[in-house]
Amino acid sequence: MRDSALPAIASDEPKEAVQSRNRSARSSQHLKDIARNHACFRHELFDKLTHTEPQRQQIARLLKNYDAHASYLRRLLLRSASIMPEKAVGFILENVRNEYGNGDAEKRHQLQLQDLARVSGVSALEFKNARIEPGIKRFISRAAQLYYPVHADFPAQMRRPAIAAGAITATEILAIEEFRCMQQFFAHLGLANHVWFDHIAIEVEHSEESLAIALYFCNEEDAAPSVEYGLRQMLDNNINLYDGLCEALSSNGSQFEMLA
């Protein structure tokens, strides 16, 4: 006698909801794979951050240049929100709110970065006077076109809000790797647990949420090609960012000394 099959477990979840969730999971993994297979993900910056012994001038220039690009992206997010469909605006505003301390201005990320410079021995004057590298300037120029793609010369068939969504998603995916390596860089100074690095854990825990705006355009607006286009363009642009941060690390300043 053949064993009877176990009865299927009933589910109250609609079939359409299950299919939508599975589709989102596939789209999410696809976007992550594009980023992780891109040349910028293997940029020499990550190896340098992991193995470089920090010097004070390097720290000042590295953090000043990182702050320059991050500050500009925060403002660009607000411009991106202005061209989004109503249902997509919230994804961006949540990102902005997090960057600015979730309602507490004293906890905004920029102040945390500046505090990291201070406890690393970098004076306010050194931080202020650190030059912005050419790679950072190139990155900012191109990021402005991708985050707010209303005037740039993009293929006619590409949807502008979805291009911006893809660019924002590239930033979110790569931010995790950037912060991991920056944390290793500052671990040489015993600063791996500085508050600036707290949001690494948040980014990792909520990595799927960081892809929400891209998945919205892929699944609800049928604009996956435009999302992928923006993603790839921003990944290309990140090479400029990482070149600029490498330029910042090329300083031959005096050996770092921890301040008492």
Side-chain angles (χ1 to χ4, degrees), residues 101-160:
N102 293 308
D104 186 346
E106 297 305 312
K107 293 181 180 179
R108 63 188 189 273
H109 289 174
Q110 184 179 46
L111 288 185
Q112 295 172 357
L113 178 148
Q114 292 172 355
D115 184 72
L116 177 59
R118 180 187 63 81
V119 298
S120 298
V122 175
S123 71
L125 185 61
E126 284 177 312
F127 185 85
K128 178 181 178 180
N129 290 339
R131 72 169 183 253
I132 304 302
E133 302 294 343
I136 303 300
K137 295 177 181 179
R138 292 193 301 271
F139 170 85
I140 288 174
S141 177
R142 182 57 173 161
Q145 297 173 348
L146 293 168
Y147 269 52
Y148 190 65
V150 295
H151 301 300
D153 185 19
F154 293 116
Q157 70 273 23
M158 295 298 170
R159 295 190 56 192
R160 273 36 181 183

Side-chain angles (χ1 to χ4, degrees), residues 144-195:
Q145 297 173 348
L146 293 168
Y147 269 52
Y148 190 65
V150 295
H151 301 300
D153 185 19
F154 293 116
Q157 70 273 23
M158 295 298 170
R159 295 190 56 192
R160 273 36 181 183
I163 290 174
I168 293 167
T169 299
T171 298
E172 294 295 325
I173 293 173
L174 287 168
I176 296 174
E177 190 66 16
E178 292 165 14
F179 277 108
R180 280 177 176 161
C181 292
M182 294 273 275
Q183 188 176 39
Q184 292 177 24
F185 179 78
F186 283 95
H188 292 291
L189 312 177
L191 294 172
N193 294 320
H194 187 274
V195 66

